[in-house]
């Protein structure tokens, strides 16, 4: 039996739920369709937010010949057949799901026909195309990000469904509609599936109890191989950087539920050195100790040391001065601002002054190349006593060098 989500798929842009930044009046895709023009494009975003629906609405409104392919399921022969049909019709739109999984053989088949315009590609993916899609394909396509649907969008779509004849004599109140919308977490396909299951399992009379029996937990998009995973990791780091303990714990909990300890370890390690750095250098070893404890404990106990360290990371003073200093030095190198190593610090130089032979293990001499000898990369922050003390030493040495 055809799923409700397929039965309800709209044929017109005006019936597509959400994505007003692309299909609202005078927006990009709206104007393309209005002007009867189409270009190869990639639509990316979370599952169930309308990528396939939007692609089909575009070709239906333009009345274009099209074929649907899946980069994984369809084989090379299927691709050959599509190219053969494109030659017959003088052009064809190919709507391709999971385009980020397109292998080299299939890419090589498509690329010359994309280049010539014989094939117009509408690719769909949940992965960030800037990371996951072959540059040769990406450079021939315009990239559009579909936004997550709001709860109000889902509620509107469900109410519209109730008004048509797809589910005869359905009975559902606003509270139950709101619950379905909340549980779907922006995934309209999931909402339709839940509505349809509730309808057939309740003889058409749907209430909150039936919905809760079917689905007590919200739909949780967290695929380790997809874009949503990196959104959660980004939110995790940014919450710690922003010193928001509660948000940091929320995203940590999501990562723990996904059982993705490796990503938690990597992100905590980079946070300790990138975002906290010299403001609290003890956090690096503490993160390492936490990781060792987690590896010994495993889940679910690993959540205990993780919670302790994430709270401390979030509440620790922050400083990015060290990694910014190094980035400035790297940028200088890339711009050609280098110069020769001073003779007195070259290997086996007799003119080198050994600092430990002088008071306080310091002696005035130049270490940078002559043409950038006064260059400064490190600019201390004063968010912690530790870096304030480093700043005093740094400033004193700068003064001595100028004397």
């Amino acid at each position: 039996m055809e799923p409700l989500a397929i039965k309800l798929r709209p044929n017109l842009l005006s019936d597509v739920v959400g994505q007003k930044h692309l299909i609202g009046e005078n927006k990009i895709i709206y104007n393309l369709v209005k002007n009867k023009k189409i270009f190869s494009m990639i639509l990316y975003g979370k599952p169930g937010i309308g990528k396939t629906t939007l692609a089909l609405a575009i070709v239906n409104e333009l009345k274009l010949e099209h074929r649907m392919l899946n980069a994984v399921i369809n084989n090379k022969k299927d691709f050959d057949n599509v190219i053969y049909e494109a030659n017959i019709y003088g052009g064809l739109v190919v709507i391709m799901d999971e385009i980020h999984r397109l292998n080299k053989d299939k890419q090589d088949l498509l690329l010359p026909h994309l280049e010539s315009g014989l094939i117009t590609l509408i690719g769909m993916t949940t992965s960030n195309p800037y990371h996951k899609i072959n540059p040769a394909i990406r450079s021939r396509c315009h990239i559009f990000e579909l936004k997550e649907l709001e709860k109000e969008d889902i509620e509107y779509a469900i109410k519209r469904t109730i008004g048509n004849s797809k589910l005869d004599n359905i009975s559902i109140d606003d509270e139950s509609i709101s619950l379905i919308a909340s549980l779907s977490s922006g995934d309209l396909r999931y909402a339709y599936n839940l509505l349809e299951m509730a309808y057939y399992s309740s003889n058409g009379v749907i209430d909150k109890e039936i919905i809760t029996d079917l689905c007590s937990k919200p739909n949780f998009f967290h695929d380790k191989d997809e874009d949503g995973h990196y959104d959660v990791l980004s939110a995790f780091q940014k919450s710690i950087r922003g010193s928001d303990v509660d948000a940091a714990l929320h995203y940590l909990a999501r990562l723990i539920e996904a059982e993705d300890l490796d990503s938690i370890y990597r992100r905590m390690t980079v946070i300790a050195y990138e975002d906290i750095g010299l403001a609290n250098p003890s956090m690096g070893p503490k993160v390492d100790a936490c990781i060792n404890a987690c590896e010994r404990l495993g889940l679910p106990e690993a959540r205990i040391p993780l919670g302790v360290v994430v709270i401390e990371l979030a509440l620790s003073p922050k400083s990015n001065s060290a990694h910014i200093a190094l980035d400035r030095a790297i940028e200088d190198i890339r711009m050609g601002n280098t110069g020769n190593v001073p003779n007195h610090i070259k290997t086996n130089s007799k003119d080198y002054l050994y600092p430990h032979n002088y008071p306080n293990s310091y002696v005035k001499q130049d270490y940078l190349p002559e043409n950038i000898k006064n260059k400064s990369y490190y600019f201390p922050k004063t968010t912690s006593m530790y870096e304030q003390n480093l700043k005093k030493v740094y400033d004193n040495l700068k003064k001595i060098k100028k004397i």
Side-chain angles (χ1 to χ4, degrees), residues 4 8 133 184 353 403:
L4 182 63
L8 294 172
I133 292 179
S184 68
L353 304 179
I403 296 171

Side-chain angles (χ1 to χ4, degrees), residues 184-202:
S184 68
S185 299
D187 185 333
L188 183 55
R189 179 172 51 235
Y190 184 90
Y192 282 149
N193 290 342
L194 182 55
L195 177 69
E196 187 174 26
M197 188 177 292
Y199 172 79
Y200 285 109
S201 61
S202 66

Side-chain angles (χ1 to χ4, degrees), residues 101-344:
R101 299 185 187 275
L102 195 64
N103 67 29
K104 189 175 185 305
D105 286 346
K106 295 171 186 175
Q107 287 172 27
D108 290 344
L109 268 176
L110 280 179
L111 281 173
H113 304 295
L114 278 179
E115 193 73 44
S116 69
L118 181 69
I119 295 257
T120 301
L121 178 67
I122 303 180
M124 298 167 297
T125 178
T126 55
S127 292
N128 189 326
Y130 297 102
H131 298 158
K132 294 294 183 81
I133 292 179
N134 182 287
I137 294 285
R138 198 174 65 226
S139 69
R140 290 164 173 82
C141 298
H142 299 271
I143 297 173
F144 299 113
E145 181 180 5
L146 274 64
K147 303 296 184 185
E148 198 169 342
L149 297 179
E150 301 292 337
K151 183 184 176 188
E152 293 75 17
D153 295 325
I154 306 291
E155 289 176 347
Y156 165 77
I158 294 172
K159 289 176 181 177
R160 189 173 67 180
T161 302
I162 294 165
N164 66 35
S165 59
K166 300 298 181 187
L167 299 173
D168 294 331
N169 300 317
I170 186 172
S171 173
I172 183 170
D173 57 29
D174 287 345
E175 195 174 10
S176 298
I177 292 172
S178 177
L179 178 58
I180 291 175
S182 296
L183 290 170
S184 68
S185 299
D187 185 333
L188 183 55
R189 179 172 51 235
Y190 184 90
Y192 282 149
N193 290 342
L194 182 55
L195 177 69
E196 187 174 26
M197 188 177 292
Y199 172 79
Y200 285 109
S201 61
S202 66
N203 296 318
V205 181
I206 303 172
D207 58 24
K208 286 181 64 179
E209 184 178 353
I210 289 166
I211 296 164
T212 305
D213 286 344
L214 289 171
C215 175
S216 59
K217 291 176 70 176
N219 179 38
F220 181 45
F221 174 58
H222 193 119
D223 187 327
K224 292 182 187 180
D225 295 325
E226 305 295 355
D227 210 27
H229 171 66
Y230 296 101
D231 289 342
V232 174
L233 283 172
S234 174
F236 178 56
Q237 179 165 0
K238 287 170 183 171
S239 298
I240 293 175
R241 182 185 294 147
S243 302
D244 190 324
V245 174
D246 298 309
L249 290 171
H250 170 82
Y251 294 113
L252 174 64
R254 289 173 69 159
L255 291 162
I256 289 172
E257 281 293 287
E259 298 187 5
D260 189 9
L261 291 178
D262 285 342
S263 290
I264 296 171
Y265 298 160
R266 286 194 297 271
R267 199 55 64 119
M268 286 197 313
T269 301
V270 77
I271 288 166
Y273 292 99
E274 177 185 352
D275 296 307
I276 293 170
L278 291 172
N280 185 1
S282 68
M283 283 313 304
K286 284 183 179 179
V287 167
D288 279 344
C290 172
I291 292 169
N292 287 332
C294 291
E295 286 296 281
R296 289 195 185 101
L297 292 169
L299 286 171
E301 289 84 0
R303 76 189 191 285
I304 299 167
L306 285 173
V308 170
V309 170
V310 164
I311 288 171
E312 191 170 358
L313 285 167
L315 295 180
S316 175
K318 309 295 192 297
S319 175
N320 65 351
S321 60
H323 93 84
I324 292 297
L326 179 58
D327 286 348
R328 289 189 182 107
I330 290 171
E331 182 64 18
D332 248 9
I333 303 305
R334 290 173 179 171
M335 295 296 292
N337 297 326
T338 54
N340 295 321
V341 174
N343 289 329
H344 60 277

